[in-house]
Amino acid sequence: MSRHSREEHAAALAAATAEVGRYLDDRSTPRSAASPSHLAARTAAVDLSVPLGTLDKAFEEVRELYLDHAVGYHHPRYLAHLNCPITIPAIAAEALATSVNTAVETWDQGTSACLIEQKLIDWVADLIGFEAPAGTTSPDGVFTTGGTASNLQALFTARENRLGRSGDRCSRLAHLRIVTGEHAHLSVVKAARLLGLAPDAVIALPGDGDRMDPATLDRTLASLADAGYEVAAVVALAGTTDHGAIDPLRAIGEVCGRHDVWLHVDAAYGGGLLVSPAHRALLDGIGAADSVTVDFHKTFFLPVAASALLLRDGAGFRHSTVSADYLNPADGDHHASGSGDLAAVDKSLQTTRRFDALKLWMTLRVLGADGIGRLLDASIDSARRIARIIEEDPELELVRRPDLSTVLFRPRPRPDCPLDSLVRPVRDTLFAEGHSLVAATVVDGHPCLKLTVLDPNLTDVDVEIVLADVRAAARRVADGLRPAPAAEVLT
């Protein structure tokens, strides 16, 4: 795009908006019932060496290949994964940031965008309320592509902090451990692998229900130290991906403080509670963390992707800094703004980064922090209401009461039905039909269905349709699992 193509740009945005409008108006279900083989064949048939030549033809093709079959996170009967409907100001921000194509790694590329991003980082750090001890620098942070990237950089920083204390790095690396709860996100194990830790470096503690038990953590840290291991970090969860559970952060922080161990809080899911008018207290103690992950594309209702890593001691980002004369020279001459050096690449594992912070800025400036928080509060209220409905339904069984907005339950169409054999087929049946989408997981060794409620406009009518679809699918699956009657014995 350039000033010479303003008319084409406006026409393209208008056409894209029209396509989105058609997608919203025509979609009566959260997904189409097209089979994987059908969609694969349609995609494979495209000859990418032959261009279509016009935007209209490209839209027509994308409509048939993508839009007609894209899963609708905005749809009231989409209650599967941690995907949210998104705010209108954030969509406008995406159009601005993409069209201008700002990169925010250095001041001479991002200028004012760098200032906006840093302002938001400072704002989130203030919300967390880091309890910074004497001798540390101010909290700081950086936007990332998601919780996996944020967790990786947090654990990298924790590893470097531990290895930098004393002794030979190479010999100690194999003895580093990461301690977390049994419901930690898979990115913790991925990070340990990428960081060169031992295959058994991640120790997942059995919890008190779905939550980490501080007493178990205390004993584990003492036992590891006695055995000659070093703990690079404890990872606590503020909203487990699977169950929505929140660890007792204050008690865990006290344990980590006594053992002088880095505390990372993965609040990718529960980070929206920072702006919740009703449920902020669920994050009590988060300020004791050394690092925190927040995903704005979950409970801040922003488009993918927008996450951030926050460090209690901003000096920890030095471990991520590598200088290059062409970008961020070591002499500090980064074309600074005059109000301080703004080479965000010094803090990031990425070099080129999109201006994703604008999505949060515009949403915050239109809705306000409480306005964003009320969207999450409405979702939490809906989840708790759904849990009560399930408890009163003779064909459904509640597995966990929701902390956040995750509802775990099982269908039980008949008393004699093998529930463990029922759950996955019910989930797969619903997905194939596309009318209502739910997820599945395992709790205490038993499969169950999962509703992830992130639609603040969800109504009881929508909920009843989803639960009716679950009950109907469960009856059909149960009929298929019913044992054949014993053959009549002739005498």
Side-chain angles (χ1 to χ4, degrees), residues 68-356:
D68 286 349
H69 310 289
V71 176
Y73 305 149
H74 64 282
H75 197 282
R77 294 198 301 276
Y78 179 87
L79 293 170
H81 300 287
L82 273 168
N83 309 116
C84 61
I86 54 180
T87 69
I88 297 300
I91 296 172
E94 284 277 55
L96 287 176
T98 299
S99 297
V100 179
N101 198 31
T102 296
V104 285
E105 55 260 41
T106 56
W107 171 256
D108 63 335
Q109 296 175 82
T111 59
S112 53
C114 298
L115 296 171
I116 288 173
E117 179 174 285
Q118 188 62 48
K119 176 77 172 180
L120 287 169
I121 287 294
D122 294 342
W123 175 74
V124 178
D126 285 344
L127 289 176
I128 292 170
F130 282 114
E131 301 164 9
T136 60
T137 62
S138 299
D140 203 355
V142 67
F143 275 73
T144 75
T145 57
T148 296
S150 294
N151 287 344
L152 171 62
Q153 188 168 3
L155 293 176
F156 163 74
T157 308
R159 185 197 73 175
E160 294 303 291
N161 177 73
R162 173 61 62 173
L163 291 178
R165 294 186 178 187
S166 64
D168 179 67
R169 288 176 56 94
C170 293
S171 62
R172 292 164 59 214
L173 187 63
H175 292 85
L176 282 186
R177 294 294 181 263
I178 295 170
V179 179
T180 188
E182 59 185 323
H183 300 297
H185 192 262
L186 59 85
S187 61
V188 175
V189 174
K190 282 190 175 183
R193 292 178 183 175
L194 291 169
L195 295 174
L197 304 189
D200 59 348
V202 177
I203 299 171
L205 302 181
D208 177 13
D210 293 333
R211 299 164 186 81
M212 186 186 294
D213 176 33
T216 302
L217 174 64
D218 196 13
R219 291 192 298 271
T220 300
L221 295 179
S223 176
L224 287 170
D226 290 343
Y229 293 102
E230 294 183 77
V231 176
V234 168
V235 180
L237 291 307
T240 58
T241 302
D242 233 6
H243 303 170
I246 299 173
D247 287 334
L249 302 179
R250 183 165 296 284
I252 291 172
E254 291 171 356
V255 172
C256 290
R258 287 198 299 272
H259 290 271
D260 191 23
V261 170
W262 184 286
L263 172 59
H264 174 62
V265 174
D266 181 358
Y269 182 2
L273 293 169
L274 291 169
V275 292
S276 164
H279 303 289
R280 172 63 173 82
L282 290 172
L283 295 183
D284 176 54
I286 194 171
D290 294 282
S291 54
V292 176
T293 287
V294 178
D295 272 5
F296 305 111
H297 56 242
K298 290 186 173 72
T299 46
F300 282 75
F301 302 91
L302 300 189
V304 173
S307 178
L309 168 65
L310 289 303
L311 297 184
R312 178 171 65 171
D313 183 355
F317 282 115
R318 70 187 183 279
H319 299 303
S320 301
T321 302
V322 177
S323 297
D325 290 339
Y326 54 81
L327 189 66
N328 58 335
D331 62 10
D333 181 15
H334 303 172
H335 305 280
S337 65
S339 59
D341 209 348
L342 289 175
V345 70
D346 287 349
K347 299 186 292 183
S348 177
L349 297 185
Q350 296 173 254
T351 303
T352 302
R353 287 187 307 117
R354 298 180 73 249
F355 185 25
D356 289 317

